Amino acid sequence: MVKPGMNTLELDEEGGGLMKDFGVKSACKGYRSGHRIFPSFTCLSVNDEVVHGIGVENRILKEGDIISVDVCIREDGMIGDNCRTIAVGTVSPEIEKLLKVTEESLYAGISQALHKNRVGDVSEAVQDHIESSGFAVITNFVGHGVGRSLHEDPQIPNFGKSGTGPKFRKGMAICIEPMVNMRSSQIRMAKDGWTAMAVDGMPSAHFEHTLLVDDEYPEILTIPDGYENAEDFLSQRTKQVAKL
Ligand code: MF3
Ligand code: CO
């Protein structure tokens, strides 16, 4: 539904409507942080908005923008969380590269989410790919365990050293979510108290999946329709992204 002329409130309402049709609840709407309560069904973050953007009527998408669509739902008491950054029409080559590298860094991290590996193995794989491509890793926000709550232990930073941190165990449910800025990794909070923004006003990208740690291959729980399984999705998608 992302296209020029659409505003982010409309998109959020569409998202909320789909959740209703599927009989699931938003795990974002009503989420509490201190005294603040998150007001949207989804998190919609445009251009230099990094994460946790709120759908608003006066935020109108235009050709060349990017938007991160972060969707968390609850069903039967369990939560799933995923995000991708989408180009609105044609974007600049530099922004195309930002999206490509961020998505690739997610897959680099996923490939390390194996039984007996450590959190730092994921972190280093993500960070290496981002920094060797010349972009900046955001350190203010991290991936996380997930289950009955949206944010559970362990934290899964997008930066760190392999061989360090908690050990993964088969069956752990985690969210890996690289957040990548074009130049400066510094962020500031918008006046709404939720939206994190890139301090330098440059675009920011965010890709996320929920997965189960396994021995040989993580089981990605948030693959789109049309793929047989996580392995099929990752191999096909990796090839598509390589061509971008
Ligand atoms: N994927 C986001 C995260 O893990 C979802 C946040 S929901 C919000 O932080 F309500 F906190 F915005
Ligand atoms: Co998350």
Side-chain angles (χ1 to χ4, degrees):
M1 289 165 189
V2 167
K3 54 176 187 287
M6 196 81 174
N7 72 56
T8 58
L9 180 64
E10 283 176 292
L11 273 179
D12 187 59
E13 282 167 354
E14 293 281 358
L18 279 171
M19 291 178 200
K20 208 168 170 208
D21 294 346
F22 281 117
V24 302
K25 286 257 178 314
S26 165
C28 290
K29 199 175 176 72
Y31 181 91
R32 283 167 181 278
S33 172
H35 65 283
R36 293 181 202 281
I37 299 179
F38 194 75
S40 290
F41 296 105
T42 60
C43 298
L44 299 168
S45 310
V46 181
N47 295 341
D48 56 337
E49 296 171 356
V50 177
V51 285
H52 306 159
I54 295 164
V56 283
E57 205 173 354
N58 63 8
R59 191 67 154 137
I60 300 161
L61 298 177
K62 57 180 195 317
E63 180 90 16
D65 284 347
I66 53 172
I67 178 170
S68 300
V69 179
D70 188 347
V71 179
C72 308
I73 62 100
R74 186 191 300 273
E75 187 189 13
D76 263 348
M78 301 303 264
I79 289 175
D81 182 4
N82 73 160
C83 180
R84 68 182 304 129
T85 303
I86 299 165
V88 185
T90 309
V91 297
S92 71
E94 221 190 344
I95 293 178
E96 266 177 10
K97 186 178 167 200
L98 177 73
L99 302 191
K100 174 180 155 92
V101 166
T102 308
E103 185 170 353
E104 285 170 344
S105 73
L106 169 58
Y107 303 146
I110 287 175
S111 68
Q112 294 298 318
L114 302 175
H115 183 66
K116 290 189 174 161
N117 270 9
R118 289 182 184 271
V119 167
D121 300 334
V122 169
S123 305
E124 186 178 287
V126 172
Q127 180 175 22
D128 268 5
H129 188 64
I130 295 166
E131 292 183 346
S132 65
S133 310
F135 295 125
V137 157
I138 289 159
T139 54
N140 305 65
F141 299 99
V142 294
H144 49 93
V146 65
R148 296 188 192 282
S149 305
L150 175 55
H151 297 133
E152 298 186 353
D153 286 338
Q155 292 197 344
I156 320 269
N158 297 304
F159 52 95
K161 282 275 152 275
S162 67
T164 67
K167 243 185 206 170
F168 289 121
R169 295 275 166 223
K170 190 177 166 129
M172 280 171 71
I174 59 168
C175 297
I176 303 179
E177 50 179 319
M179 289 152 266
V180 180
N181 279 0
M182 192 90 101
R183 269 188 220 139
S184 165
S185 66
Q186 297 305 302
I187 63 132
R188 68 177 174 88
M189 292 309 290
K191 282 201 203 77
D192 65 22
W194 285 102
T195 313
M197 319 268 305
V199 157
D200 61 8
M202 300 290 286
S204 183
H206 180 200
F207 282 77
E208 175 173 27
H209 277 299
T210 299
L211 49 107
L212 292 179
V213 173
D214 209 334
D215 292 311
E216 305 266 313
Y217 213 84
E219 182 180 353
I220 307 171
L221 301 176
T222 45
I223 58 174
D225 280 345
Y227 294 96
E228 257 172 47
N229 52 36
E231 210 164 337
D232 175 43
F233 164 69
L234 212 54
S235 78
Q236 287 201 47
R237 189 63 199 154
T238 309
K239 281 184 212 141
Q240 287 166 10
V241 177
K243 285 196 213 125
L244 294 177

